[in-house]
Amino acid sequence: MGRCEQCIIREFSSLKALTREELETISETKNHFIVRKGEVLFFEGDNLNGVFCVKSGFCKLTKLNSNGKDTIIKLAKGGELLGQRSIINEETSNLTATALEDMQVCFIPKKEMLDYFADNNKFSLLVTRDICNHLKDADKGLADHTHKTVRERLAIILLKLEDLGGVNPETKALNIQLSREDLANMVGTATESCIRLLSDMKKEGLIQLSGKKIILVNKSELKNLAQ
C-alpha cells in the first residue's frame, strides 16, 4: 500500500493542496482496497462517512430514475475523488458507483477531510471548484440531451470515452469498454437504436468495431457531429 505523500494520483485532485504533514496523517488513517469489475463501491442513499480516491480503473456513477432503471450520470477514472459533496453537505450519496474494470481505491475518513476543509483554504477552494465543475458537466449533459440528436450524442460520448480513458497503443481501441446497454444508457436511447447507429457509423468509416471494442477512425467528423 502506497503512502499519500508519495502517490502521484494526488496531483490530479484537490488532495494536491494538502501539506506533507496532512498527507502523512491521511496515510495513517486511510484504507486501501480493490474493487472488482461489476462490484459496487457504494450505493445511492448510503452514508459515506468519508471520500473515495480512485487510484486506478474506471467506474460508472448511476442514479435510479422514476422507472426503476439506472441512468449513468458520469464515469470516474483514476485521480478522481468520489463523495466530496456528500461529506460537505452531510447528505447520503445521491449516486451508485459500480466498477467497470478492477479498481484500486483508497478510503479517506470524513473527519480528516472536514478538518482540512476548515483549516486549509487552498484545499477547500479546490474541493468547491471540483464540485462546481461536476455541476457544470451535469448542466451540459442535460442541455445535450435536450438539444442534440441521438447520433450527435453518440459522437459526444465516444469522444468523451477516449478523453477519459485513452486508447490502446496497439489496437487503437478505446480503453473504456462499455456494454452496448451502458453506452445506450449514456447516450439516452434504446440499446437497439445504439447498436444500429454504431453500425451506421461503421459503414460511413467513422469508427471500426471488433466485439465490444470501438476504434475511432474519423475523429474530425465525429467532432463535427459533436459540436
Side-chain angles (χ1 to χ4, degrees), residues 4 30 36 38 52 56 59 77 87-88 107 121 155 174 201 205:
C4 296
K30 73 170 187 182
R36 298 297 176 193
F52 297 89
S56 67
C59 67
K77 64 174 181 174
I87 296 304
I88 303 304
F107 178 76
N121 288 339
L174 297 174
M201 285 184 169

Side-chain angles (χ1 to χ4, degrees), residues 34-77:
I34 303 292
V35 186
R36 298 297 176 193
K37 181 179 178 179
E39 289 181 352
V40 172
L41 184 58
F42 54 82
F43 287 95
E44 185 177 343
D46 280 356
N47 286 303
L48 296 187
N49 296 317
V51 169
F52 297 89
C53 177
V54 181
K55 193 167 184 181
S56 67
F58 303 98
C59 67
K60 61 180 178 181
L61 295 160
T62 59
K63 189 164 186 63
L64 207 61
N65 63 28
S66 55
N67 298 325
K69 291 187 176 181
D70 282 328
T71 300
I72 298 176
I73 304 301
K74 67 166 288 188
L75 302 178
K77 64 174 181 174

Side-chain angles (χ1 to χ4, degrees), residues 87-100:
I87 296 304
I88 303 304
N89 280 1
E90 297 192 336
E91 295 176 344
T92 59
S93 170
N94 68 327
L95 300 172
T96 295
T98 308
L100 291 170

Side-chain angles (χ1 to χ4, degrees), residues 98-223:
T98 308
L100 291 170
E101 63 178 27
D102 290 356
M103 300 172 68
Q104 290 188 65
V105 180
C106 292
F107 178 76
I108 304 167
K110 180 178 179 177
K111 182 184 183 306
E112 273 66 38
M113 291 297 291
L114 287 179
D115 283 351
Y116 300 148
F117 189 79
D119 298 339
N120 183 325
N121 288 339
K122 189 178 176 186
F123 177 61
S124 58
L125 176 65
L126 287 186
V127 171
T128 305
R129 193 174 287 163
D130 213 12
I131 292 169
C132 289
N133 284 335
H134 288 167
L135 291 172
K136 184 177 77 174
D137 289 345
D139 287 345
K140 186 180 183 308
L142 188 61
D144 285 345
H145 272 260
T146 306
H147 301 299
K148 301 276 188 187
T149 66
V150 177
R151 180 180 164 85
E152 289 166 344
R153 294 202 301 269
L154 178 56
I156 289 168
I157 296 300
L158 291 176
L159 290 165
K160 189 179 285 186
L161 291 177
E162 184 187 62
D163 188 45
L164 268 174
V167 299
N168 182 300
E170 292 177 10
T171 65
K172 306 300 180 189
L174 297 174
N175 279 327
I176 301 180
Q177 289 182 31
L178 294 180
S179 69
R180 296 297 186 253
E181 186 179 3
D182 276 348
L183 187 57
N185 189 318
M186 287 194 75
V187 174
T189 190
T191 306
E192 298 76 15
S193 300
C194 184
I195 292 169
R196 194 163 53 247
L197 274 171
L198 287 170
S199 180
D200 290 345
M201 285 184 169
K202 180 184 175 183
K203 287 173 190 168
E204 294 162 29
L206 299 180
I207 62 172
Q208 286 179 11
L209 301 173
S210 175
K212 274 189 187 179
K213 294 175 183 173
I214 301 175
I215 301 165
L216 307 189
V217 179
N218 189 341
K219 275 190 273 190
S220 60
E221 187 53 38
L222 286 169
K223 285 174 183 173

